[in-house]
Amino acid sequence: MQHSAPRSRRSFLQSAPLVAAGGLVACGQAEQQAAPAVQSQQHFKWKMVTTWPKDFPALGTGANNLAHSIEALSDGRLHVKVYGAGELVPASGVFDAVSGGTAEMGHGAAYYWKGKHEATQFFSAVPFGLNAAEINGWLRYGGGQSLWDELYAPFNLQAFPVGNTGVQMGGWFNREINTLADFSGLVMRMPGLGGEVLRRLEVTVKALPGGEIFQALKTGAIDATEWVGPYNDLAFGLHQAAQYYYWPGWHEPGTALECMVNKQALEALPADLQAVVAYACQAANDDMLSEFTARNSQALKTLVDEHGVQLRRFSDELLAQIGKVSAEVVAEIAGQDPFSSRVYDSFDAFRKNSIAYTRISEEAYTQARALTFG
Ligand code: CA
């Protein structure tokens, strides 16, 4: 997709006597001459397909923001056009579109691709797994990213964590859920491993893309659903189709979103534009979590105060029972193949360490704050 290639970086460097050893230019005049020419003038036009409705709050707009950052940081040399779900390919076609080169980038969530490999789910959300800060820690400093790279390489993809919803809500129901028996017979939308857990609780599980949820719940095609949290759930109007809003979202404790990039497209970029992509992704990863943090609490207040939504907490007994089933479901993935076993071991070890520290840090702090501030 490159439009011009007037001069390669290599050919410039070979003919650039003013660039001193160590990369520093010798004087101000040399800097003025050297700086523009160091940059390749190649221009690239990329497509980003997404699993979200176009411009959907935080998810779709976060993808838009990533495209804008890449454009700005590259001084317009890398232009990314964003497509909502269904515009170029359906939500379920994003992985194949980027893998095959129909689009250079895709934004979605790794657990949507469990049909490609069960281990994808560890890089998005695992029931009773890592929260947002922990999964970023595992990916960046705990060995998670190199496992993700290994998983996606055969698909011709490079993945970057881009966004995190924080802990999600437990879902929308039209009747109270007090015991495991209350799940039995429900038809519920839930993706990923949470869906597999519910299957074992005799729930009929649907993995509908976001854009189809409201209609399905409103018409009774499904009895219950989870989506994300107050900000996104309010945007879909889910409170108009169900009365009870349960917490906490045991199934998605801090769902990592992803930007996947076609490897050939990425490697065709000059080194500085590859860095632009990587750092723009890192900035967008932080920005989307910040937006969810700010907007979810506002939206929760709107749902309760203005729409009369009934908040309900899953009981400790119920959560412990679901947790036991969840542990079995997640451990089964480890038994499927040697790679999944390595991912599980890495993830599980990180979780064990995190539990020990979180108990005396974030968890202890929020409990302490609640003693005074509620
Ligand atoms: Ca969800």
Side-chain angles (χ1 to χ4, degrees):
M1 298 303 288
Q2 63 201 44
H3 298 287
S4 61
R7 196 177 195 189
S8 74
R9 181 181 173 87
R10 177 180 296 274
S11 67
F12 167 75
L13 291 174
Q14 286 170 343
S15 60
L18 294 176
V19 177
L24 295 173
V25 291
C27 64
Q29 185 186 7
E31 188 173 12
Q32 285 172 5
Q33 292 172 6
V38 164
Q39 293 182 344
S40 159
Q41 292 306 307
Q42 289 175 295
H43 283 65
F44 299 83
K45 280 195 169 182
W46 279 14
K47 301 183 187 78
M48 188 199 305
V49 289
T50 68
T51 60
W52 326 115
K54 180 78 174 164
D55 300 331
F56 191 72
L59 299 166
T61 57
N64 295 344
N65 291 341
L66 172 61
H68 292 149
S69 297
I70 290 172
E71 175 109 19
L73 290 167
S74 69
D75 195 23
R77 287 185 297 140
L78 178 50
H79 175 79
V80 181
K81 181 170 181 180
V82 181
Y83 293 85
E87 287 192 314
L88 193 63
V89 295
S92 60
V94 165
F95 188 98
D96 285 341
V98 182
S99 176
T102 302
E104 290 81 5
M105 298 184 97
H107 191 255
Y111 62 9
Y112 290 151
W113 322 124
K114 69 171 191 168
K116 304 293 181 186
H117 198 294
E118 288 279 345
T120 56
Q121 298 170 105
F122 287 98
F123 303 96
S124 187
V126 167
F128 298 92
L130 304 177
N131 67 22
E134 291 166 348
I135 199 163
N136 279 326
W138 177 59
L139 289 171
R140 305 187 75 83
Y141 291 97
Q145 183 69 51
S146 65
L147 289 164
W148 202 0
D149 293 347
E150 194 175 332
L151 175 62
Y152 273 24
F155 298 103
N156 196 35
L157 294 169
Q158 173 67 52
F160 299 91
V162 172
N164 194 299
T165 64
V167 64
Q168 298 200 0
M169 288 291 285
W172 295 88
F173 298 82
N174 276 310
R175 65 177 196 226
E176 293 196 55
I177 303 295
N178 297 311
T179 68
L180 284 186
D182 292 328
F183 275 115
S184 181
L186 282 179
V187 180
M188 183 168 182
R189 184 266 179 188
M190 184 176 282
L193 288 163
E196 181 55 32
V197 172
L198 288 186
R199 248 178 229 111
R200 299 188 189 194
L201 302 177
E202 300 176 346
V203 172
T204 300
V205 176
K206 305 281 188 189
L208 302 173
E212 297 176 21
I213 295 174
F214 176 78
Q215 198 62 18
L217 190 61
K218 189 73 178 170
T219 61
I222 55 176
D223 303 313
T225 189
E226 70 81 57
W227 171 225
V228 180
Y231 184 49
N232 285 161
D233 294 8
L234 176 65
F236 268 160
L238 298 180
H239 57 284
Q240 296 166 26
Q243 179 181 6
Y244 297 111
Y245 198 19
Y246 269 84
W247 58 281
W250 53 270
H251 60 299
E252 298 194 60
T255 302
L257 310 169
E258 67 175 358
C259 178
M260 57 178 89
V261 182
N262 178 281
K263 267 187 175 264
Q264 275 90 51
L266 186 63
E267 287 162 7
L269 296 177
D272 65 328
L273 291 189
Q274 291 188 34
V276 162
V277 171
Y279 284 103
C281 283
Q282 192 172 330
N285 191 43
D286 169 73
D287 187 65
M288 289 179 70
L289 178 59
S290 299
E291 182 169 12
F292 274 115
T293 302
R295 309 262 194 234
N296 272 333
S297 49
Q298 290 173 336
L300 179 65
K301 189 169 163 53
T302 301
L303 285 169
V304 173
D305 293 353
E306 296 180 22
H307 299 294
V309 165
Q310 300 287 308
L311 286 176
R312 292 286 186 277
R313 181 184 186 274
F314 291 125
S315 70
D316 283 349
E317 183 185 6
L318 191 60
L319 288 170
Q321 289 168 321
I322 298 171
K324 188 164 177 289
V325 177
S326 296
E328 291 166 7
V329 166
V330 177
E332 282 173 21
I333 296 178
Q336 291 190 353
D337 60 82
F339 176 76
S340 296
S341 177
R342 285 169 51 215
V343 176
Y344 176 85
D345 288 347
S346 172
F347 187 96
D348 193 48
F350 196 93
R351 175 169 54 184
K352 279 194 177 74
N353 284 340
S354 285
I355 287 169
Y357 183 57
T358 299
R359 180 171 295 137
I360 62 166
S361 55
E362 300 295 331
E363 190 178 322
Y365 166 69
T366 51
Q367 287 171 355
R369 183 172 62 183
L371 295 174
T372 303
F373 292 98

